[in-house]
Amino acid sequence: LEFFAKLPPTVIGMEACGASQYWARELSKLGHKVKLMAPQLVKPYVSRNKNDWRDAEGLCEAMSRQRFVPVKSAEQ
């Protein structure tokens, strides 16, 4: 959170999951625009031999082509 607090507002893409909902709310409070994507829609863009670097490349590619899911409130 400290890292993102130092950045100017930007667009952040993440795969949707329970933890990403929390982080999306926290990052939005800092002024960032968070876009969540369903994991099954990101998977086709991740190349073989899965690792963090390839996951990030796949997310970047998916952000330019995919539909996004809404961020849930803490109550949801």
Side-chain angles (χ1 to χ4, degrees), residues 27-60:
L27 294 170
S28 293
K29 290 177 189 174
L30 296 174
H32 300 293
K33 181 174 183 175
V34 181
K35 294 186 175 188
L36 299 179
M37 296 164 282
Q40 65 270 26
L41 298 177
V42 174
K43 187 173 181 168
Y45 298 101
V46 177
S47 61
R48 66 193 189 295
N49 299 325
K50 183 175 168 62
N51 63 30
D52 288 343
W53 179 262
R54 290 191 177 110
D55 283 350
E57 284 181 327
L59 281 168
C60 288

Side-chain angles (χ1 to χ4, degrees), residues 14-33:
M14 296 187 290
E15 284 187 49
C17 68
S20 68
Q21 298 290 337
Y22 167 79
W23 286 109
R25 289 190 300 271
E26 293 298 311
L27 294 170
S28 293
K29 290 177 189 174
L30 296 174
H32 300 293
K33 181 174 183 175

